[in-house]
Amino acid sequence: SWLLLALLGLLSGYAARRFLSQRNSLTAELRRAVDADEFVPFYQPVVLGESGALAGAEVLVRWMHPIEGIIPPNQFIPLAESTGLIVKMTYQLMDRVQEELLGQLPNLPEPFHVGFNISAAHCTSMELLDRCRAFLEPFPPGSVILFLELTEREAIPATPMTDALFKQLDGMGVQVALDDFGTGNSSLEYLQRFTVNALKIDQSFVAKAGTETLSSHILDIIADLASRLELFVVAEGVENAMQREYLQKLGVEYMQGYLFGRPVPFAEFAATHLPPAAG
Ligand code: C2E
Ligand code: CA
Ligand code: CA
Ligand code: CA
């Protein structure tokens, strides 16, 4: 059976090489697409929990692949993060979003919240600070509020640099939201380390709103924690009126989900959610 073992060894070596070469070619494809500007911002409305009025949008990236069509983020964000390509991709998105919002500035509710998903790779230099400053620069003061959504998918290290980064972002009025709150294991540590402004309740908890399950209690506890810490709550994945009512009773300030609108390209977002352009 040494032959069998040798064969198995050969096979797994082959599988590993094939896996690595697939990863390499995917990385090359991702790099090509970044240079070709194929990553497009989609906008999902964020509304006031109380009135349902538009408060802003979360930017969710889509890969407009020339052959494959629209590729959703879960199929390329992890690789973009592990290769560092996410950094350039996000800054391209920010430039495009800035341009699109400026084109509709008179029609945006004031203040308009715009949220970007930020990865650990953005927090390894002070460039994020310059990018946020450049993003906000052309908007009249108070017209646009920039939110950075931090997830726990990759840990953001606690260093003097990241401390300075988040302190200066806070000083500039940039808001920090903890994304997928309650699903990871460093949420509470992040709460202590960063000047956090908002908690985003993950859709897995929202889906259980009003049921007698553990997840529904977690929803209640997060809302209670937020109000004690004087943080805003954004509930994501709100799909029906029952969930909305339950969240309203909890005093959740902001909501997001298919009930209010799916992520769409800017032209569609403006046509659906903004008042018609004057003139
Ligand atoms: P996320 O930040 O938690 O974003 C919410 C996800 O839930 C989005 O999926 C959104 O389309 C989806 N969603 C919104 N409302 C509903 C609803 O009512 N029901 C259901 N079932 N789903 C809803 P999407 O756009 O596929 O993005 C998936 C994840 O990819 C995001 O999760 C975020 O972590 C990541 N992502 C997206 N864009 C970017 C980006 O530009 N940069 C980074 N680093 N990550 C991104
Ligand atoms: Ca998010
Ligand atoms: Ca989520
Ligand atoms: Ca509250």
Side-chain angles (χ1 to χ4, degrees):
S1 67
W2 60 270
L3 188 63
L4 193 66
L5 278 177
L7 261 175
L8 273 176
L10 261 177
L11 270 176
S12 65
Y14 172 74
R17 269 194 308 278
R18 212 175 71 139
F19 173 78
L20 282 179
S21 80
Q22 255 174 12
R23 188 179 194 277
N24 286 342
S25 59
L26 246 176
T27 306
E29 178 58 6
L30 211 56
R31 187 166 288 123
R32 180 201 62 74
V34 169
D35 292 336
D37 235 335
E38 288 173 9
F39 296 95
V40 172
F42 274 39
Y43 297 73
Q44 183 175 36
V46 175
V47 305
L48 291 169
E50 193 91 322
S51 62
L54 185 71
E58 176 176 6
V59 174
L60 294 157
V61 69
R62 299 291 183 266
W63 183 356
M64 306 304 237
H65 194 280
I67 296 161
E68 304 288 327
I70 302 183
I71 304 179
N74 58 358
Q75 289 184 29
F76 61 86
I77 289 290
L79 186 62
E81 285 180 335
S82 66
T83 55
L85 285 168
I86 190 72
V87 175
K88 196 172 172 195
M89 189 186 293
T90 305
Y91 296 148
Q92 283 179 352
L93 285 181
M94 288 176 81
D95 287 348
R96 183 125 171 207
V97 169
Q98 182 191 58
E99 195 180 300
E100 289 177 333
L101 291 183
L102 279 172
Q104 283 282 339
L105 194 54
N107 299 313
L108 298 179
E110 209 174 286
F112 188 81
H113 293 194
V114 57
F116 290 93
N117 292 285
I118 293 301
S119 307
H122 293 101
C123 305
T124 57
S125 81
M126 297 300 269
E127 185 184 4
L128 180 62
L129 193 68
D130 300 330
R131 295 289 185 160
C132 290
R133 192 177 287 120
F135 177 86
L136 288 170
E137 200 265 330
F139 296 104
S143 60
V144 165
I145 300 178
L146 175 58
F147 276 80
L148 302 181
E149 302 190 0
L150 306 181
T151 57
E152 304 172 88
R153 267 197 308 266
E154 302 174 300
I156 297 170
T159 65
M161 203 280 299
T162 53
D163 286 349
L165 175 64
F166 284 96
K167 194 164 282 157
Q168 292 191 51
L169 284 169
D170 185 51
M172 267 169 58
V174 173
Q175 307 280 297
V176 169
L178 295 188
D179 214 349
D180 304 328
F181 191 78
T183 61
N185 43 36
S186 49
S187 318
L188 296 176
E189 190 203 322
Y190 276 22
L191 260 186
Q192 287 190 310
R193 272 187 41 218
F194 307 123
T195 317
V196 172
N197 306 94
L199 303 183
K200 290 198 81 168
I201 301 185
D202 191 61
Q203 55 199 47
S204 58
F205 301 122
V206 172
K208 300 283 164 57
T211 62
E212 275 303 312
T213 60
L214 182 61
S215 291
S216 78
H217 295 305
I218 292 175
L219 190 65
D220 300 0
I221 288 164
I222 293 175
D224 185 49
L225 178 72
S227 89
R228 286 169 198 256
L229 299 177
E230 298 183 319
L231 305 174
F232 290 116
V233 176
V234 186
E236 65 177 30
V238 182
E239 292 184 345
N240 60 51
M242 194 275 289
Q243 291 164 348
R244 181 188 179 186
E245 256 165 58
Y246 188 88
L247 293 162
Q248 272 175 333
K249 285 199 194 109
L250 278 182
V252 167
E253 286 88 354
Y254 298 98
M255 297 185 201
Q256 190 182 342
Y258 295 164
L259 181 64
F260 311 104
R262 288 175 182 257
V264 287
F266 189 70
E268 196 179 331
F269 177 81
T272 316
H273 301 287
L274 300 180

